[in-house]
Each structure stands twice: as structure tokens, then as C-alpha cells.
Amino acid sequence: DQAASELERMLALKRSETPGAGGVEPWDTSYYNNKLRRTAYDLDEFSVSEYFPVERVVSGVMELYAGLFGVRFAPSEAAAWHPDARVFDCSDAADGRPLGRFYLDLHPRDGKYKHAAVFPLVRGRREADGSYRHPSAAMLCNFQAPAGGRPGLLRHAEVETFFHEFGHVLHNLLTESPYSRFAGTRVARDFVEAPSQIMENWAWDPAVLRRVSGHWKTGAPLPE
């Protein structure tokens, strides 16, 4: 019922521009959804994005997850496949034990995968000598790159995407399965998404948003 009501509002907006329009087509929805936000709620997602520079979101999310899981993230000197891709090592905050490595490749370029996703590169497993093979994973996104003196800025939906995909990164890195066949996201299909869907809800929590936001000019967090 709520969806039907909002669709009627979007149709009214469309008819204000195209009298006699019979319906809102799938290719119309993003345009009129954004227009509805502006006209009914005075909400401009691109103004909101000024509070989410990519680097602030990345550091804020890492800080949040480091505290939650008792781990540390540190830049690595390891090589990556492109200058835009950065490498981080993950270790246990209590004893410094290495846990894994991940790659962040966040900006678009020609020939790059176009969706947001995390790919396991090395699966964790218990080795014959009793040691644990450290897993690694790569997170690929296509967020706005810095340009013209401005940092790359994320729309709120993209902040939510970052929370979600970073959940997949940790799902891969914090595994303790003795067998690579069941390590990381190699779990029951429905549970592949469970940690990420839990974590992405924090992108709607005001206290968390204050921690991961900072206006690119003033540094001020997103207002309540």
C-alpha cells in the first residue's frame, strides 16, 4: 500500500511535466524519485553527498569495524594491479596476529567491472603444520573519483553500499574454518548476505553517520 501511494505521487509529478501520462515506467523511477525527494522533503542527495568524502567514509567505517571485531587495519606495502587499488592488512588487535589482507579498488576506469562486489582471492584454511592460511579479498566499486580540487563524494546509497560490501570483506577475512570449502562466504546461500545486510543498516543510524561523515569543506558531520 505504501508503494502504491508513493507511485501515485510520482505519477502526479510526471503528469505535471507530461500531461496525460498513463504511468511511471521503470526508466522513470530514479528521475521522479529524486524529484519527489526534492519537492516533498527538501532533500537533495547531492547536497548530502558533500558530507561523505570517500576517504572519510573509508576511515570511519574501518574505525567502526575495528572496534566492533577487535581488529586493526593497516596500509600494506604489497603490490596491487592498479595505482587506484590500495592494500590493507588485518590483524588481531589483542595479540597482533595476522588475519588476512584486502584490496580496495573504489573508482571507475575503462575495462573495470561495473558493479560493486567483493571477490575472495585466497581462501582461509588450516594447513598441515597447524598454521592458518591467511585469506585475502578484493572489494571493487565505482565511486566518484577526486576531480577539480574536490574529493570523490558518495551519495548516501553508496555509503550504504560501502557498509554492505565491507561486510563481505570481513566475512572472508575473519573466517576460522579448517577447510577452504567452507571458509568465508562459502556458507549457505542465504547467509552469504546476512552479515552485510545487518551491517548496512548502520548507514541509517544517526550516531554512526556522525562517525563516518565530514563535510568536504568544513569537516562538520552530517546534521541530525
Side-chain angles (χ1 to χ4, degrees):
D1 291 343
Q2 182 66 39
S5 172
E6 292 186 359
L7 196 60
E8 284 299 317
R9 297 176 74 182
M10 292 169 71
L11 179 57
L13 281 175
K14 183 175 181 179
R15 285 173 174 164
S16 71
E17 297 179 343
T18 311
V24 177
E25 303 296 341
W27 50 86
D28 291 333
T29 54
S30 293
Y31 173 79
Y32 288 108
N33 183 49
N34 194 43
K35 189 160 189 175
L36 183 62
R37 288 180 178 185
R38 291 187 181 191
T39 57
Y41 305 108
D42 192 26
L43 177 63
D44 179 0
E45 64 177 343
F46 296 104
S47 295
V48 173
S49 74
E50 295 191 345
Y51 288 90
F52 294 118
V54 173
E55 293 307 313
R56 179 71 194 96
V57 174
V58 170
S59 62
V61 170
M62 284 192 190
E63 179 184 310
L64 181 72
Y65 282 159
L68 179 68
F69 290 105
V71 298
R72 285 199 183 99
F73 303 119
S76 170
E77 297 297 323
W81 48 86
H82 190 274
D84 282 353
R86 291 176 294 165
V87 192
F88 295 86
D89 287 329
C90 177
S91 61
D92 189 301
D95 58 18
R97 175 170 50 96
L99 298 174
R101 174 172 289 166
F102 64 95
Y103 301 76
L104 294 183
D105 190 350
L106 301 181
H107 302 302
R109 61 180 178 272
D110 288 344
K112 184 183 171 186
Y113 185 73
K114 301 303 182 187
H115 193 49
V118 171
F119 298 94
L121 304 178
V122 176
R123 298 277 186 183
R125 76 172 187 195
R126 184 69 57 196
E127 302 283 23
D129 63 2
S131 64
Y132 199 79
R133 182 171 70 179
H134 302 148
S136 65
M139 176 175 165
L140 272 59
C141 297
N142 288 276
F143 299 144
Q144 183 187 69
R150 288 170 61 109
L153 303 174
L154 302 186
R155 291 174 291 117
H156 180 259
E158 292 172 320
V159 175
E160 188 177 14
T161 294
F162 190 87
F163 268 96
H164 180 103
E165 299 301 340
F166 203 71
H168 287 311
V169 169
L170 291 183
H171 200 172
N172 279 285
L173 294 191
L174 302 186
T175 185
E176 294 184 337
S177 170
Y179 306 109
S180 61
R181 176 64 181 82
F182 304 109
T185 52
R186 281 186 166 172
V187 293
R189 182 64 182 173
D190 283 354
F191 195 73
V192 171
E193 299 297 327
S196 293
Q197 290 177 340
I198 291 169
M199 294 173 189
E200 74 184 28
N201 281 299
W202 289 339
W204 296 92
D205 184 287
V208 172
L209 287 173
R210 282 193 292 273
R211 292 182 61 177
V212 303
S213 63
H215 195 280
W216 74 279
K217 288 182 178 178
T218 67
L222 185 72
E224 186 85 10

